[in-house]
Amino acid sequence: MELSSSKILTVENGVLAAPSTALVRTGRIVAFIAFTALGAQLAARLPYTPVPVTMQTLFVVLAGVVLGPRDGFLAMLSYLALGAAGVPVFAGFSFGPAVLAGPTGGYLIAFPAAALLAGVLCRTLGNGSLAVLAGAAGGAVLILIMGTLHLSLITGLSPSAAISLAVMPFLLADLIKVLIA
């Protein structure tokens, strides 16, 4: 599913030329950082959990599927670095290390690994529809697991209580996002 850079042309000195592979890769990574940041702002707060439902996880798994494991990982690592450095890319235009340490931190910290896993599963299984589905589902499950573990650790909640706050409210939305991917 990785897009071929040979199909993207530029004009140099009046002649069509393919851009450098590094430029195309960088552009795709930046695009997925922007998509993820925009997806973070498409959020719905639920009254019974400190974690909002967002569209950013769709773009996390798509980063792995579309960009591949390496570039998907780099895109999500860069997204986290921007947010930690003070760029308001997290849900509700939030930013900073405190967000990564807060209730949503486990989900966010999982993003690079989830993109990597989605890309690896997709590539390993052959890039067909089932491979994309498996990659997206694997990445989404990893995000939920890491989000639940983090929430349990920072709040002292039992695993079952953490699951009720960190997994159950998101299952249907995550299933829809996996199917969209």
Side-chain angles (χ1 to χ4, degrees), residues 49-154:
T49 180
V51 181
V53 177
T54 71
M55 290 300 291
Q56 69 193 136
T57 55
L58 170 63
F59 297 110
V60 171
V61 297
L62 279 176
V65 168
V66 174
L67 300 178
R70 178 191 59 201
D71 288 354
F73 176 86
L74 291 173
M76 293 306 106
L77 189 63
S78 299
Y79 170 77
L80 292 182
L82 286 170
V87 179
V89 295
F90 300 143
F93 296 102
S94 60
F95 57 89
V99 175
L100 297 174
T104 62
Y107 298 94
L108 293 167
I109 292 166
F111 286 2
L116 178 73
L117 178 62
V120 166
L121 287 173
C122 188
R123 294 286 158 74
T124 302
L125 298 174
N127 283 339
S129 295
L130 289 177
V132 171
L133 185 65
V141 167
L142 181 60
I143 292 168
L144 288 173
I145 290 170
M146 290 183 69
T148 303
L149 291 173
H150 180 81
L151 187 64
S152 178
L153 286 172
I154 68 163

Side-chain angles (χ1 to χ4, degrees), residues 1-96:
M1 283 227 136
E2 189 169 337
L3 301 173
S4 171
S5 63
S6 64
K7 295 183 180 175
I8 301 172
L9 301 176
T10 60
V11 177
E12 294 177 13
N13 298 324
V15 179
L16 286 178
S20 74
T21 303
L23 180 62
V24 171
R25 282 184 59 216
T26 302
R28 291 178 185 162
I29 289 169
V30 169
F32 270 93
I33 294 168
F35 295 152
T36 306
L38 289 172
Q41 307 322 314
L42 300 174
R45 296 265 176 209
L46 304 174
Y48 47 86
T49 180
V51 181
V53 177
T54 71
M55 290 300 291
Q56 69 193 136
T57 55
L58 170 63
F59 297 110
V60 171
V61 297
L62 279 176
V65 168
V66 174
L67 300 178
R70 178 191 59 201
D71 288 354
F73 176 86
L74 291 173
M76 293 306 106
L77 189 63
S78 299
Y79 170 77
L80 292 182
L82 286 170
V87 179
V89 295
F90 300 143
F93 296 102
S94 60
F95 57 89

